[in-house]
Every structure is written in C-alpha cells, then in structure tokens.
Amino acid sequence: MKRNNQTLNTSEKLRTEKPSKLLWNLSIPAMVGLFVIALFNVVDIFFISYAEGVDAVAGLTVAFPVMMIVMTLSSAVGIGAASIISRRLGEKRDEDANMVFGTFIFLILIISFISLILGIFLLEDILLLFGATENIMDYAYDYMLPILLGFLFIGFSMATNSLLRSEGNAMFAMKATIIPAIINLILDPVFIFDFGLGLGVLGAGIATVVSQGIVSVFIFLYYYKGKSSLSFQLRNVRFRVSVAKEITTIGFPAFVQSASNSLIMVAINAMLIQHGGDMYLAAFGIVQRLIGFAVMPMIGVMQGMLPIVGYNYGAKQFQKMRETIWLSFKLVAINSIIVVILVFLFPEKGMRIFTDDPTFIEIGSYAMKVMFACFFVVGVQIIAGGIYQALGKPKPALILSLSRQVIFLIPLVIILPSFFGVTGVFLAFPISDFLSFLLSSYLLYRDRDTILVRGKKEDDIHLPDSIKEVT
C-alpha cells in the first residue's frame, strides 16, 4: 500500500506541479549520475597524462572503445532483464522475476568468461584492429588486460544498475554509480605514480577493477540479504533459452547504438593516425572526454523531460507538455551557447588540465575549437530525440540518435581527411552536428501540431496515431 501511495504521489506531481519545478527536480539527479560517469571516464586519462605522457593518453584513447563494447554488452543485458523484471514484478509474478534475475546473472558470467579469453589470447590483435601503433600498444595493452580479466565486477555493477532502477530503487542505483568513481579517484594516484605502487597505466586498469569490485560486493549483499524485491538463489542461476532470447531482444537495440559509437572510434582513430599521428590521437581523446562533460547537462534535461512529456501527453494535458518541451529547448540552448563561448575564449585552459606540453596544448586547443564550432545546435537533436522517445515513437527517436554518430559522422570522417588532412577529421564533427540539427528541425516541423503548437486534433481520442513515424 505504501508503494502504491508513493506511485500516486509521483503521478500527481507530474500532473499538477509547474513544468519548471518538475524539470528541475527530475533533471538534477540525472545530471549527477551523468557527471559521475563522465568523471569516471576522465580520471584515468588525467592521471596517466601526467604520469606517462602523450603516448599513454593515445593508448587509452585506442583502448577505450574496446572497453566500451564489452561494457555495452553487459549493459544491454541489464536493460533487457530490467524491462522483463519490472513487468513481472508489476504482474505479481515474483518467482518468474527471480528466474529472469538468475538467467541475467548467468549471461553476465558468460560475458565475463568471454572477456577473460579475449584478454588472455586475443587482446593484442584486437588493439591492432582498433588502431594501436607500435608506440602506444604497450600502454593500451597494460590498461585493457586487468579490465578484461576482472570484467566480472565491471559487468555486474554496470548491468545491475538498470535492475536497481527497474524495482524503483533509484537512490541505491545512484550510490552504486558514485561509490566506484570516488574509490577510483582515490586509488588511481596510489596505483599509478611512483610515490605509491608505481604501476603506471597498468595501475589505472587495476584501480578500475578494484573500485568496481568493491561496489559489486555491496550490490551482491543488497540482493543476498533480501533488501531487494528480487532474491538471489543459486538454483535460479542457469541458462533459460526463452528468457535469454527475450533479454537479448530487448537489449539489442541499446547494444547496437552504443557499440556503433565504439566502431566509429575505430574509423576516427585510423584517420587520425594516418593523417596526424599519435599526438593528434591523444589530443582527440582528451577533447572527446571534454565533450562528454559539455553534453552532460543537456542529456540530464532530456532525461528529466521524458516522464513529464510522456505523462502529460497520455493525460492529454498538451499545453503543459508543450511548456515543458519549450523550456527544455531554452535550457539546452543556454547551456550549449555558454559552452561554445568558454571553448573559444579559453581552449588552452581545458587542455592544461591534462598536460603541460606546449605542442600538445596547441593541437588540442585547435581541435577543440573546430569540433565545438556548431555545438550550439546539439541540444536540439538531443531534446528532439527525447520527445519522440517520450511519445512512444521509436523510429524517429532511433534515427535521430544515430544521425550524428552513424549516418553523418562516419562518411564525413572517411571523406574529409582526403581534402583537409587531419583537420578534416575534426571538421566532421561540426558538420555532422549541423546536419543532425537540420534533420531534427525537419521532423519537429513536420510533426509540430500538438508537440510544438496547438494541434487541430487535440481533442481526438486517437491523437497518438497522428504523430507520424519515419518511413
């Protein structure tokens, strides 16, 4: 009964509270989680840049997409299992939910075993495929080896985050994200620098595994001690074909979308090495992480917007829905404009966080200004994709999410360097940003009735069918 009252109160807030207050309350927690993830991606490269230099940063840049593919695979399993478990719990089929949980754990064990085999036998070949050169191979190898060998902890902690949210425990899920980031921040200098263990890049990889291992223990105890709606039972940890198929079917789109980003990095790395060299690759790696911080507030606004738009669309409170959408556009526009101004005024300061090398700072500052040239329109694509997601229209949402990274960026990264050299790689980013903005604007204008302006059919009970799919 208590859970039902809490759900009712949440729904009542979505219906009655002002859009500005709702958007603020829902966006801030999302931003906190995203900030922690962005920080986690930056910490290793920050310490490594000072301890080992430019080649080591380039090594981590090559290793990162390899790590992301395996992490994405476990996250996709978590997304698929979370979807099924939330529905089973809602249907009061607790035992079925526990069986799904057991199959989920079995799949994570399989992924971890595959990662172990890859780490022992194929890691060097994989890194060569992803663009590692002779100068940076050792750094990339040393970083990835402990991560693949200890992937059980990384995969388990990442995948269970979706499960924690599926049963409504967003607070514990947030803690499970923050704790390893803090531990990693503490362990990195101890494991990397000579005043500690002096392990260099290898120490960064080990610190990542240790931090995820510690939080994995807390998560396991959460389930084992009965604090969850799910219960861990060893007899349930086995492979069930039908359940595994449903998990992978639901999680596959998320895997494809995220894995495609990693594969894009292969093309980018190859072009940077071919036309610029290891220093340009390292500079790009740093700028990419700074972009992660820059888009974080906009993605947070989008995630906060989703339940407000979805609820009020379903409740036919279209005016409140439109107020939320327009407010979201204004917030991301302000954020992106501020970011562009800061980048163009102080590009060197962003690079000096990671290095004192004047040549490296010059290359990175130039890359930053080029790559951020059209950043002020990025928010439109992010919010537009969120709108279609909230309205339950997966085709336009998927096309918008893939437009920048896949549809536009890959061809531009391959073609432009032939005309502009290494600058062409950097130019691909603002051009793809602008093309994605045009596509988003077209779709929003096409479907503007009800979404952006008052529609003629707002009183029609079949209104959701009037929002067009992309065919």
Side-chain angles (χ1 to χ4, degrees):
M1 181 63 69
K2 184 177 181 181
R3 173 179 286 184
N4 290 337
N5 287 337
Q6 289 175 339
T7 303
L8 181 62
N9 290 337
T10 302
S11 300
E12 189 68 15
K13 288 179 180 179
L14 291 172
R15 186 179 68 85
T16 59
E17 283 193 354
K18 292 177 60 177
S20 56
K21 183 178 181 181
L22 272 174
L23 195 59
W24 175 265
N25 291 337
L26 293 173
S27 297
I28 294 302
M31 290 182 191
V32 171
L34 291 166
F35 175 81
V36 171
I37 293 173
L39 180 65
F40 188 82
N41 292 333
V42 165
V43 165
D44 285 347
I45 208 166
F46 170 78
F47 289 117
I48 287 298
S49 65
Y50 281 101
E52 301 288 343
V54 172
D55 285 345
V57 174
L60 264 66
T61 303
V62 168
F64 186 71
V66 180
M67 179 175 67
M68 287 306 298
I69 286 180
V70 190
M71 291 172 67
T72 297
L73 187 58
S74 62
S75 294
V77 170
I79 290 170
S83 174
I84 303 169
I85 287 171
S86 62
R87 284 182 277 125
R88 297 293 185 272
L89 292 174
E91 296 162 356
K92 307 300 181 184
R93 296 163 59 186
D94 293 358
E95 186 57 34
D96 287 346
N98 286 325
M99 287 194 293
V100 174
F101 183 48
T103 303
F104 155 80
I105 293 177
F106 190 90
L107 291 175
I108 294 298
L109 290 173
I110 292 176
I111 296 170
S112 302
F113 178 74
I114 293 172
S115 300
L116 183 68
I117 298 300
L118 292 176
I120 295 174
F121 297 107
L122 298 172
L123 179 55
E124 188 168 336
D125 293 331
I126 293 171
L127 291 172
L128 284 171
L129 179 66
F130 275 70
T133 64
E134 183 179 351
N135 292 336
I136 66 178
M137 172 59 79
D138 288 344
Y139 295 114
Y141 188 94
D142 285 349
Y143 183 72
M144 279 304 303
L145 183 62
I147 287 175
L148 290 179
L149 296 184
F151 189 77
L152 174 62
F153 303 117
I154 299 173
F156 179 75
S157 64
M158 286 196 63
T160 50
N161 205 270
S162 297
L163 269 64
L164 292 169
R165 296 182 187 279
S166 74
E167 59 176 299
N169 201 338
M171 184 58 68
F172 190 83
M174 187 176 71
K175 291 178 181 178
T177 304
I178 294 174
I179 289 173
I182 295 174
I183 295 174
N184 193 54
L185 181 65
I186 296 171
L187 292 181
D188 257 354
V190 176
F191 280 46
I192 294 171
F193 291 100
D194 289 335
F195 64 75
L197 298 178
L199 297 176
V201 175
L202 179 66
I206 294 174
T208 298
V209 174
V210 172
S211 62
Q212 295 293 337
I214 292 173
V215 78
S216 293
V217 172
F218 282 104
I219 295 172
F220 178 79
L221 291 175
Y222 169 81
Y223 288 112
Y224 187 75
K225 291 186 175 181
K227 296 180 180 179
S228 167
S229 303
L230 304 168
S231 62
F232 175 79
Q233 298 173 353
L234 194 58
R235 62 183 174 84
N236 281 332
V237 182
R238 61 186 180 87
F239 187 78
R240 298 173 179 84
V241 176
S242 60
V243 176
K245 183 179 179 180
E246 190 174 0
I247 288 174
T248 53
T249 299
I250 295 171
F252 185 72
F255 171 73
V256 170
Q257 182 178 347
S258 298
S260 65
N261 294 336
S262 295
L263 295 177
I264 289 165
M265 296 299 295
V266 177
I268 294 172
N269 292 347
M271 292 295 104
L272 287 170
I273 290 172
Q274 179 181 342
H275 295 279
D278 293 340
M279 186 168 286
Y280 281 88
L281 178 63
F284 170 78
I286 288 177
V287 175
Q288 271 291 91
R289 282 157 176 78
L290 293 176
I291 290 175
F293 273 104
V295 300
M296 174 191 64
M298 294 189 285
I299 295 176
V301 170
M302 184 269 288
Q303 290 185 357
M305 175 197 75
L306 288 176
I308 310 172
V309 169
Y311 180 90
N312 286 284
Y313 184 71
K316 305 188 79 171
Q317 294 194 120
F318 301 119
Q319 182 58 34
K320 185 171 184 178
M321 179 193 74
R322 285 192 290 268
E323 288 179 18
T324 303
I325 289 172
W326 282 113
L327 178 58
S328 300
F329 277 126
K330 291 176 183 177
L331 290 175
V332 298
I334 292 170
N335 174 84
S336 57
I337 291 171
I338 291 174
V339 168
V340 171
I341 292 173
L342 291 175
V343 165
F344 276 83
L345 289 179
F346 312 107
E348 294 85 1
K349 292 188 181 297
M351 292 301 299
R352 288 186 190 281
I353 297 173
F354 299 91
T355 181
D356 293 324
D357 187 319
T359 304
F360 193 37
I361 292 172
E362 182 180 358
I363 292 172
S365 300
Y366 173 74
M368 197 182 305
K369 287 190 285 187
V370 174
M371 291 172 68
F372 275 90
C374 284
F375 189 80
F376 55 89
V377 300
V378 168
V380 174
Q381 178 210 347
I382 293 174
I383 297 301
I387 291 170
Y388 284 110
Q389 183 180 340
L391 300 182
K393 299 298 172 183
K395 288 184 181 179
L398 180 61
I399 286 178
L400 288 176
S401 67
L402 294 178
S403 63
R404 178 182 180 272
Q405 292 289 80
V406 179
I407 299 172
F408 298 129
L409 187 58
I410 289 182
L412 289 168
V413 164
I414 295 173
I415 294 169
L416 291 181
S418 299
F419 299 95
F420 303 102
V422 70
T423 299
V425 180
F426 303 139
L427 278 172
F429 285 83
I431 295 175
S432 64
D433 287 340
F434 188 71
L435 292 175
S436 297
F437 162 73
L438 293 179
L439 176 61
S440 303
S441 300
Y442 163 73
L443 292 176
L444 287 172
Y445 180 78
R446 188 197 68 176
D447 298 329
R448 62 191 180 278
D449 285 355
T450 302
I451 293 180
L452 301 179
V453 298
R454 180 174 175 81
K456 297 177 180 179
K457 300 181 180 180
E458 287 196 5
D459 297 325
D460 188 345
I461 194 171
H462 300 297
L463 178 64
D465 295 331
S466 68
I467 304 300
K468 301 175 185 176
E469 291 276 14
V470 173
T471 57

